[in-house]
Amino acid sequence: MKAYLEATEIIDYHDEAIQTLSKELAHGCKEDEAIAKKCYEWVRDNIHHSGDYQDDITTYKASDVLKYATGWCYAKAHLLAALLRANGIPTGFCYQRLSCSEYKPDIYCLHGLNWIYIKKYGWYRVDVRGNKEGVDAQFTPPYEQLAFALGEHEFDLPENLAEPMDVVVDTLKKYKTYEEMICHFPDIEE
């Protein structure tokens, strides 16, 4: 579990703003499940999904996601991990390979999710990308309610990773604008 609690360059929960917010969100909560739900809903509802808002900034470090209040699904997952790890809740990363045709026709890309360890249920997968028409991700353990149902040629990558995938981080670091990102989404071969 130690690896799922570590602060890193990307999951930089030692940042003062993340520390402050993590404490505020945990205030009054008696169980890890309640803390996890508050952190999840805060990131889902208060941080723009860069694609939905066509924000021309690409964040990757948790502290920058919080500072600029925007991030692609992967970056939002980084902030959620930082808030949860700051509260002593083990958090990992996982991905789906989905159609990204809402941005460009006939392309696929990775979609970033989190695994959260909740004492009552064990590992539980959540999607913090942000809701909109046709997207209704919720925190309802032990039942999973992610943003997207898998379609043809789409699949889950089931691994629970302690660190985000290199291809995701490299993409977020390299491409800075909305237009650059939609032309270079991180992906893997089937």
Side-chain angles (χ1 to χ4, degrees), residues 1-170:
M1 286 295 188
K2 184 180 174 208
Y4 297 94
L5 289 166
E6 289 182 351
T8 67
E9 174 204 352
I10 296 161
I11 314 308
D12 57 344
Y13 67 77
H14 52 276
D15 176 80
E16 187 177 331
I18 290 176
Q19 284 289 314
T20 299
L21 180 58
S22 68
K23 288 179 178 80
E24 285 174 12
L25 292 171
H27 183 74
C29 295
K30 302 220 183 296
E31 299 175 347
D32 62 342
E33 183 178 348
I35 295 168
K37 182 174 183 170
K38 282 182 77 174
C39 291
Y40 166 83
E41 289 178 346
W42 193 93
V43 175
R44 182 194 67 191
D45 299 342
N46 290 283
I47 302 295
H48 285 178
H49 181 276
S50 298
D52 292 349
Y53 288 85
Q54 298 186 12
D55 290 330
D56 251 349
I57 181 171
T58 301
T59 55
Y60 70 93
K61 286 172 49 170
S63 58
D64 285 342
V65 176
L66 181 57
K67 178 179 177 180
Y68 296 107
T70 191
W72 291 91
C73 57
Y74 331 98
K76 290 182 71 164
H78 300 167
L79 176 57
L80 179 59
L83 292 170
L84 294 173
R85 288 181 182 188
N87 278 302
I89 299 173
T91 309
F93 303 93
C94 57
Y95 301 88
Q96 295 175 316
R97 185 176 192 257
L98 303 176
S99 167
C100 290
S101 294
E102 70 180 280
Y103 300 106
K104 289 183 115 12
D106 302 319
I107 65 165
Y108 287 83
C109 65
L110 293 177
H111 174 60
L113 309 169
N114 292 98
W115 282 106
I116 303 172
Y117 188 81
I118 300 170
K119 291 173 189 157
K120 186 174 177 182
Y121 302 108
W123 287 104
Y124 175 67
R125 199 168 59 150
V126 298
D127 189 337
V128 76
R129 78 152 320 273
N131 291 337
K132 62 180 185 173
E133 187 175 332
V135 176
D136 185 28
Q138 299 294 328
F139 184 93
T140 55
Y143 306 103
E144 200 175 79
Q145 189 170 335
L146 305 178
F148 305 106
L150 296 177
E152 189 177 358
H153 305 297
E154 298 179 333
F155 56 88
D156 287 319
L157 282 73
E159 295 87 3
N160 181 359
L161 306 168
E163 292 297 322
M165 289 179 72
D166 289 342
V167 66
V168 168
V169 174
D170 293 346

